[in-house]
Amino acid sequence: MSWWKSLFPKRASDAQMNSELRFHIDELTDENIAAGMSPGEARRRALLEFGGQEKFKEEVRDVYRIRILDATVSNLKSAFRFIRKSPTFSAAIILTLALAIGANSAVFSAIDAILLRALPFPDADQLVRVDQYNQKTSSPLHLVAPVRLEDWNRLNSTFQALTGYYSEDVSESTGSLPERITRAWVSPRFYQVWAVSPVLGREFTPDEETLNGPAAVLISDRFWRRRFNADPNIIGKNLRLDDHLTPIAGVMPPSFLFPNREVDLWCPIPAGFSYGQARANNWFTVIGRLKSGVTVAQARANLATVQAQLARQFPKTDAELSVDIEPLKELTIADSRRSLWLLFGSVTLLLFIACTNIVALLLSRSAQRQHEISVRFSLGASRGALVAQLLTETFLLALIGSGLGLFLAAAASDIFRSLAAELPRVEEIHLDARIVVYSLACSVVVTLLCGLVPAVRGTRRSLSASLAQSGRSQVSGRNPLQWLLVGIQVALAVTLLAGAGLLLRSFQQLGRVSRGFDSSHILTFELSMNWGETGDMKKLRQFTDRILETLRATPGVDAAAISVGVPGAPFRYETELKLLEGRAETEPKLIAENRFVSASYFATMRILLLAGEVCRETDGPPTLVVNRTFADNYFPGSTAIGHHVQSLNLGYSGPAEIVGISGDARETGLDRAPVPTAYWCAPVAEPGTFFLVRTRNAPMTMAETIRRQIHDIEPQRSVYDFAPLEQHFSDALAENRLRTILLTFFAATALSLACIGVYGTLSYSVNVRQREVGLRLALGALRGQIVKQFLWQGLAVCILGCVAGFALAAASSRLLAGLLYGVSPSDVPTLSAVILLVLVVAAAASLIPAIRASRVDPMQVLRDE
Amino acid sequence: MPTEKSDLLQGTLDMLILKIVALGPVHGYGISMRIRQISKEVLQVQQGSLYPALHRLEKRGWLAAEWGASDKGRQAKFYKLSAKGRKQLESEESNWNRLAGAVANIMQTAQ
């Protein structure tokens, strides 16, 4: 820590001091011997004459120490006195800094928790997600067949273990009403991969992980608290899961939120279960733990070799498959990274604006304190000491400000959660020592940024000459440094406003975009189901029909449909389709987004049918509807209707005839242009299928009625997640909204700070030049001229600031490019509006002091002289 | 051995040290000896004042110090005057002369 040493002046080491003193004593002893004393007596006298050595050394040490300690203490004292003496001034600075440092620390705490820290698992950097994908289709389906997972585990040499899981909803019926809970089925080696043990109870036994072994379930901390009130004696009690009694084996720690924060319980799924044996049935998400020291690239290469071996062994199912490995952390946070850094950048700009504001305040303050500073100079204070004193004052203000700001940072988790519940790892944001240290570092940086210039300028020797002058001393009214600072503030505010304006415009564009479906008055919900039910498709079909009929018969409901995935919310299921009629090699492959919907979907969502008919829900040969983009892209100049296609990946859907062409709908997200889409008629609900109901009135008003209707016919199932369709869009855009709201807030704050800057600097200028104005008025100047002059002084700086800000915004627009929708980063209307706004606000801020200047009473001013 | 010893005037010790050191590199013991000898035993510097003063002057950059062997071959810290110290000595000397002259004037005139 060499910087620490450099804070203190060089100090005589104790050893050197000792030998220096010893030399003196030895010499005295010699002197005494020469005077005729015995050596013992001589030494005794010498020591006596010399006095207490320790006291001495202490005094010598004090030469080095006392000044710095004393100075710090007295500087702190005077800083406190300074704050007490000018409470308004100090409060303004402290509040500005509390906001600026607090907001900065809050965003930093999010960055720290989400981006910087490892995931909350032991050695989390070893965790990766392993995907299989088909090279032929552009978008990978990452799911893996359970039997292939076992092969990988057996054949690889770079993983400690690989485990798979899938989750589904289940009804738990030990309570008075069935409750929908989320269960994750986890394959063996769950613990080897996660390395997280239950906080209560035990892990699964090997018996429980084998076929036909005893049942067991681990429950999440959240479920334990919500359902059992954190009962410590819960182990061994039974849950009734879809009518199977399952004993609770353990409770997982609160930080264990995998696969997601909604999960309530984990059940083991044995490797040998019957429907896991088909190599074409992919439904495990696979997580692996790398051996220590193994890189992702090595694991990728290793697993590619393994998969190539499997491809030779099972050419039919495995030949086309490739494997991809990504760090789990990367997959968890990738989407939030840009938003968070963008927010951090803007909040740091805000801090700079706050700093320039404070510099301006301190500058005008130090002009007022010239007299005090001159007196101290004349009393012999060194310039360094005065600078240190002024810096201590700034530091104390910054320290109090960042202390207050920590309250804001402490609320960061709640703020982020309420603005974007979908943000990953948001529950890990909390105030801890790292954030406190960060805030402290911020206050040091702020002290240097804000304090140094005013302190150095304020203590210029030439100023000491002003001691001779009176308080009415002549101060230049031009103060170019202050106006430069105002210009910087305006420029930075324009940059932030431009970013916020573009994001707002982009949000607005999203609202205006033609969706291709009518999302108003649509209520969505889900029913608890499990994959076991899909064994009896006939029964499931009856069940689905019964539900849809009940819904349609409900007063206030116009139409009802089912769909896997919600239209307009990100959900992708892209595969390659094979045209049975054959297709030339030169023609583009049929890559299509797949949607599985009931025939009533088109009427419910009001998606136009352009040609042909809606798919048929009959037991006959399957049919499908394609969208216009599909037809235009793959069958230009001819009709798509009548062709037969088959999906290469969807094992269970046989060849189907294209019977209709629908209008384009933004199925995969409001911000994504329609892609070629195939709507398969799937009149059977599965776990995760959404029910879509078109209501006559506000969607949510129907929720209770529907819940009761369904309970009457399906008392064992829970109905959950009632939400208007629009709510799904808003959830999908949560991150977009988070950055838009926060950036807008930062930009508004920046603008008001810049405004205060303009106002404050101009007011100061007016005050200083009162005499001049009075004189000019006395000599016949018109008040309008005075107003115009001061207004122009403020506006000219703002215009220059706008120009600089415009350039800055243009330079940084690249950062925004990927985050915008339907608006270019150099959108002229947005940027002009921003500049107009800034100029109007700046003009308003300049007008007040300008008018005040013109109201100066010449007589009053001249009399004061 | 004279029985009366005078206390040094506040602030004059620094000047005396600078003056002695100006004669050539010298250690702390040597300085206290010289002051005693030159003042004919009138002035006696307490070690408790001498060493803090030496270190203070060294820290201000008026004195430079280095270790060397004394006449008897012992390791001792030798002080010598820096350029800054020489300037300081000159200004203190002229101040002192003015002050001493003024005091002497008053003492004589008022007699």
Side-chain angles (χ1 to χ4, degrees):
Chain A
M1 287 255 208
S2 56
W3 62 271
W4 177 250
K5 271 190 195 155
S6 70
L7 272 183
F8 294 94
K10 202 178 70 188
R11 227 185 212 205
S13 78
D14 274 14
Q16 283 196 354
M17 208 149 67
N18 274 336
S19 55
E20 188 177 10
L21 298 185
R22 200 182 319 116
F23 169 75
H24 196 122
I25 292 166
D26 289 348
E27 290 291 317
L28 277 179
T29 311
D30 285 359
E31 196 183 319
N32 287 343
I33 290 172
M37 290 183 205
S38 72
E41 177 66 3
R43 183 153 188 88
R44 202 183 63 81
R45 289 286 293 270
L47 283 172
L48 211 63
E49 189 179 337
F50 203 83
Q53 283 190 55
E54 270 315 309
K55 190 171 144 272
F56 257 48
K57 283 191 230 159
E58 208 39 49
E59 273 173 24
V60 174
R61 281 186 207 121
D62 278 353
V63 170
Y64 296 93
R65 183 170 46 206
I66 256 191
R67 284 176 54 123
I68 198 141
L69 226 131
D70 260 6
T72 312
V73 170
S74 79
N75 278 343
L76 273 175
K77 272 188 195 155
S78 93
F80 272 115
R81 217 163 34 234
F82 165 74
I83 290 177
R84 260 210 317 275
K85 246 171 39 190
S86 45
T88 331
F89 175 80
S90 307
I93 291 185
I94 288 172
L95 281 181
T96 309
L97 283 179
L99 252 179
I101 297 182
N104 203 282
S105 303
V107 175
F108 178 78
S109 71
I111 287 198
D112 186 48
I114 296 172
L115 302 184
L116 302 184
R117 280 173 197 259
L119 293 175
F121 308 108
D123 293 320
D125 53 337
Q126 293 174 344
L127 293 173
V128 294
R129 195 177 84 188
V130 186
D131 296 346
Q132 74 172 42
Y133 68 98
N134 189 327
Q135 291 151 312
K136 284 192 170 175
T137 50
S138 58
S139 110
L141 284 171
H142 68 262
L143 301 178
V144 177
V147 61
R148 189 170 298 113
L149 169 65
E150 291 306 310
D151 291 338
W152 285 351
N153 256 312
R154 202 157 33 80
L155 299 171
N156 87 81
S157 60
T158 43
F159 286 87
Q160 294 181 34
L162 292 147
T163 186
Y165 72 85
Y166 72 97
S167 55
E168 65 180 8
D169 295 320
V170 59
S171 264
E172 200 285 313
S173 49
T174 49
S176 52
L177 270 176
E179 187 192 358
R180 190 276 303 206
I181 53 184
T182 304
R183 157 163 67 182
W185 288 100
V186 296
S187 81
R189 304 186 193 81
F190 181 62
Y191 289 107
Q192 274 162 278
V193 170
W194 292 113
V196 175
S197 297
V199 280
L200 201 65
R202 56 166 178 82
E203 306 165 357
F204 298 130
T205 62
D207 268 357
E208 287 161 352
E209 293 188 331
T210 48
L211 204 57
N212 302 323
V217 59
L218 288 170
I219 62 174
S220 73
D221 180 81
R222 193 180 73 120
F223 184 60
W224 180 48
R225 287 177 198 283
R226 188 188 70 212
R227 186 64 201 283
F228 300 108
N229 231 341
D231 176 7
N233 301 316
I234 194 67
I235 305 304
K237 291 201 176 142
N238 279 317
L239 291 177
R240 186 183 289 277
L241 301 171
D242 283 346
D243 266 353
H244 298 287
L245 281 180
T246 314
I248 296 172
V251 179
M252 295 301 277
S255 64
F256 192 73
L257 297 172
F258 208 85
N260 54 48
R261 54 176 80 101
E262 262 76 54
V263 71
D264 296 304
L265 39 91
W266 296 269
C267 285
I269 181 164
F273 68 107
S274 57
Y275 48 100
Q277 302 311 307
R279 301 195 71 84
N281 290 358
N282 302 314
W283 75 81
F284 269 0
T285 301
V286 173
I287 306 293
R289 180 178 282 278
L290 299 174
K291 287 182 179 163
S292 68
V294 170
T295 66
V296 171
Q298 283 166 340
R300 243 181 229 142
N302 174 238
L303 222 49
T305 322
V306 168
Q307 184 56 35
Q309 188 183 335
L310 290 174
R312 281 191 299 278
Q313 210 175 337
F314 308 99
K316 203 166 159 227
T317 50
D318 284 47
E320 311 254 294
L321 295 182
S322 301
V323 184
D324 192 29
I325 299 177
E326 290 296 336
L328 187 61
K329 183 180 167 193
E330 206 45 45
L331 289 164
T332 313
I333 62 170
D335 295 338
S336 319
R337 178 175 284 133
R338 287 191 67 173
S339 291
L340 284 174
W341 283 119
L342 180 78
L343 287 181
F344 187 66
S346 34
V347 87
T348 303
L349 277 189
L350 188 65
L351 182 58
F352 283 143
I353 297 176
C355 276
T356 43
N357 221 317
I358 288 166
V359 172
L361 278 173
L362 288 173
L363 274 178
S364 55
R365 187 79 190 170
S366 73
Q368 286 169 25
R369 292 173 76 185
Q370 262 174 43
H371 192 75
E372 174 198 338
I373 288 167
S374 314
V375 168
R376 298 223 24 210
F377 264 136
S378 66
L379 289 178
S382 73
R383 188 174 182 193
L386 279 178
V387 168
Q389 188 206 323
L390 293 176
L391 278 182
T392 311
E393 287 170 9
T394 315
F395 181 63
L396 195 62
L397 292 170
L399 206 61
I400 298 174
S402 65
L404 286 177
L406 280 177
F407 285 102
L408 197 61
S413 178
D414 293 333
I415 296 170
F416 279 98
R417 212 190 311 246
S418 64
L419 289 179
E422 302 298 313
L423 203 66
R425 309 182 72 185
V426 73
E427 56 284 303
E428 291 175 45
I429 304 175
H430 60 271
L431 189 64
D432 62 7
R434 282 159 72 113
I435 310 303
V436 174
V437 169
Y438 179 82
S439 292
L440 210 63
C442 271
S443 57
V444 172
V445 170
V446 161
T447 305
L448 294 178
L449 274 180
C450 299
L452 215 50
V453 171
V456 169
R457 268 176 68 101
T459 55
R460 274 201 301 229
R461 284 284 183 172
S462 63
L463 287 183
S464 61
S466 71
L467 186 57
Q469 297 176 358
S470 70
R472 288 180 309 204
S473 60
Q474 189 67 278
V475 180
S476 162
R478 302 230 167 271
N479 39 19
L481 182 62
Q482 259 134 307
W483 283 115
L484 177 70
L485 292 172
V486 169
I488 292 174
Q489 283 177 34
V490 172
L492 294 180
V494 165
T495 314
L496 278 181
L497 278 171
L502 288 171
L503 286 180
L504 278 173
R505 278 272 290 175
S506 148
F507 222 76
Q508 190 188 19
Q509 291 295 104
L510 273 179
R512 279 188 192 159
V513 76
S514 158
R515 295 168 180 175
F517 57 83
D518 177 3
S519 57
S520 63
H521 292 96
I522 295 283
L523 180 67
T524 69
F525 64 90
E526 290 180 64
L527 282 183
S528 64
M529 300 183 70
N530 65 58
W531 289 104
E533 292 177 72
T534 56
D536 188 349
M537 290 307 264
K538 208 165 176 180
K539 197 172 153 204
L540 210 53
R541 172 76 195 263
Q542 284 168 358
F543 153 75
T544 313
D545 286 347
R546 201 164 59 239
I547 299 276
L548 286 177
E549 275 156 28
T550 309
L551 288 172
R552 288 178 191 129
T554 307
V557 171
D558 280 344
I562 56 169
S563 164
V564 178
V566 173
F571 168 77
R572 308 213 68 181
Y573 202 78
E574 197 168 60
T575 63
E576 182 187 353
L577 301 180
K578 194 174 143 205
L579 194 64
L580 294 190
E581 282 76 18
R583 207 164 158 76
E585 285 290 319
T586 52
E587 287 180 286
K589 284 189 192 308
L590 296 183
I591 308 285
E593 189 62 37
N594 296 280
R595 283 290 178 274
F596 307 91
V597 298
S598 62
S600 52
Y601 179 76
F602 300 95
T604 308
M605 293 312 301
R606 296 192 176 150
I607 295 174
L608 290 178
L609 196 66
L610 302 176
E613 52 182 292
V614 170
C615 55
R616 291 184 292 263
E617 290 179 350
T618 56
D619 295 331
T623 54
L624 81 161
V625 172
V626 296
N627 69 353
R628 184 190 194 144
T629 307
F630 186 104
D632 289 352
N633 277 15
Y634 300 138
F635 300 95
S638 66
T639 177
I641 292 176
H643 287 89
H644 291 78
V645 293
Q646 183 173 12
S647 167
L648 291 181
N649 297 68
L650 310 170
Y652 48 88
S653 54
E657 185 189 350
I658 299 175
V659 293
I661 298 174
S662 74
D664 282 337
R666 292 186 176 244
E667 288 276 354
T668 55
L670 297 189
D671 50 350
R672 298 199 180 115
V675 290
T677 306
Y679 294 97
W680 302 79
C681 255
V684 181
E686 287 177 354
T689 297
F690 284 91
F691 286 80
L692 307 169
V693 175
R694 178 164 292 282
T695 58
R696 231 159 275 162
N697 302 315
M700 283 310 275
T701 57
M702 292 300 293
E704 266 321 298
T705 317
I706 290 173
R707 192 194 296 279
R708 258 183 285 118
Q709 295 271 3
I710 291 178
H711 189 69
D712 284 349
I713 53 169
E714 289 281 339
Q716 284 302 310
R717 293 188 196 271
S718 36
V719 190
Y720 61 93
D721 277 359
F722 276 105
L725 182 55
E726 303 275 352
Q727 175 75 44
H728 290 275
F729 304 155
S730 148
D731 287 350
L733 298 172
E735 206 156 290
N736 194 330
R737 199 178 46 222
L738 169 80
R739 61 179 180 242
T740 308
I741 291 177
L742 283 184
L743 192 61
T744 308
F745 171 72
F746 297 154
T749 314
L751 182 61
S752 35
L753 280 177
C755 224
I756 294 171
V758 174
Y759 173 82
T761 310
L762 197 61
S763 297
Y764 177 72
S765 181
V766 166
N767 280 347
V768 168
R769 294 171 68 180
Q770 257 186 8
R771 244 170 9 126
E772 174 204 327
V773 172
L775 208 61
R776 284 173 52 196
L777 284 172
L779 292 176
L782 294 173
R783 291 191 188 271
Q785 281 177 327
I786 305 283
V787 172
K788 205 170 118 192
Q789 183 207 340
F790 279 104
L791 187 63
W792 181 242
Q793 189 182 13
L795 264 183
V797 173
C798 293
I799 289 170
L800 287 177
C802 280
V803 172
F806 192 83
L808 250 169
S812 55
S813 64
R814 209 166 40 86
L815 295 174
L816 277 174
L819 305 173
L820 297 179
Y821 173 82
V823 51
S824 101
S826 50
D827 186 53
V828 176
T830 309
L831 295 180
S832 338
V834 162
I835 286 181
L836 193 68
L837 173 71
V838 171
L839 288 182
V840 167
V841 171
S846 308
L847 202 57
I848 302 167
I851 289 179
R852 212 177 44 223
S854 73
R855 297 242 171 96
V856 164
D857 178 1
M859 283 318 292
Q860 184 72 37
V861 173
L862 295 176
R863 205 177 299 128
D864 279 352
E865 270 306 291
Chain B
M1 200 180 260
T3 47
E4 274 187 75
K5 285 175 189 164
S6 296
D7 282 333
L8 275 169
L9 216 72
Q10 186 75 37
T12 46
L13 175 61
D14 287 4
M15 182 179 69
L16 294 186
I17 291 174
L18 291 175
K19 186 73 187 170
I20 303 279
V21 174
L23 303 173
V26 61
H27 42 68
Y29 172 75
I31 294 172
S32 79
M33 288 289 292
R34 295 248 171 94
I35 291 180
R36 225 161 70 193
Q37 288 164 356
I38 297 174
S39 71
K40 307 208 170 58
E41 310 265 332
V42 174
L43 295 176
Q44 190 152 18
V45 187
Q46 296 297 318
Q47 283 82 354
S49 320
L50 175 68
Y51 282 98
L54 280 172
H55 283 259
R56 194 167 55 237
L57 296 176
E58 184 189 350
K59 184 165 163 262
R60 280 189 195 158
W62 295 345
L63 292 185
E66 60 185 24
W67 289 82
S70 72
D71 306 341
K72 294 172 189 162
R74 290 193 181 117
Q75 276 294 306
K77 192 176 179 186
F78 285 87
Y79 293 89
K80 65 181 185 199
L81 209 57
S82 71
K84 226 167 135 189
R86 194 167 301 280
K87 257 195 203 151
Q88 180 66 19
L89 177 60
E90 275 165 20
S91 89
E92 285 199 21
E93 231 177 323
S94 72
N95 262 339
W96 171 258
N97 287 337
R98 246 193 347 217
L99 186 67
V103 172
N105 267 339
I106 292 171
M107 296 310 278
Q108 284 162 5
T109 317
Q111 246 173 11

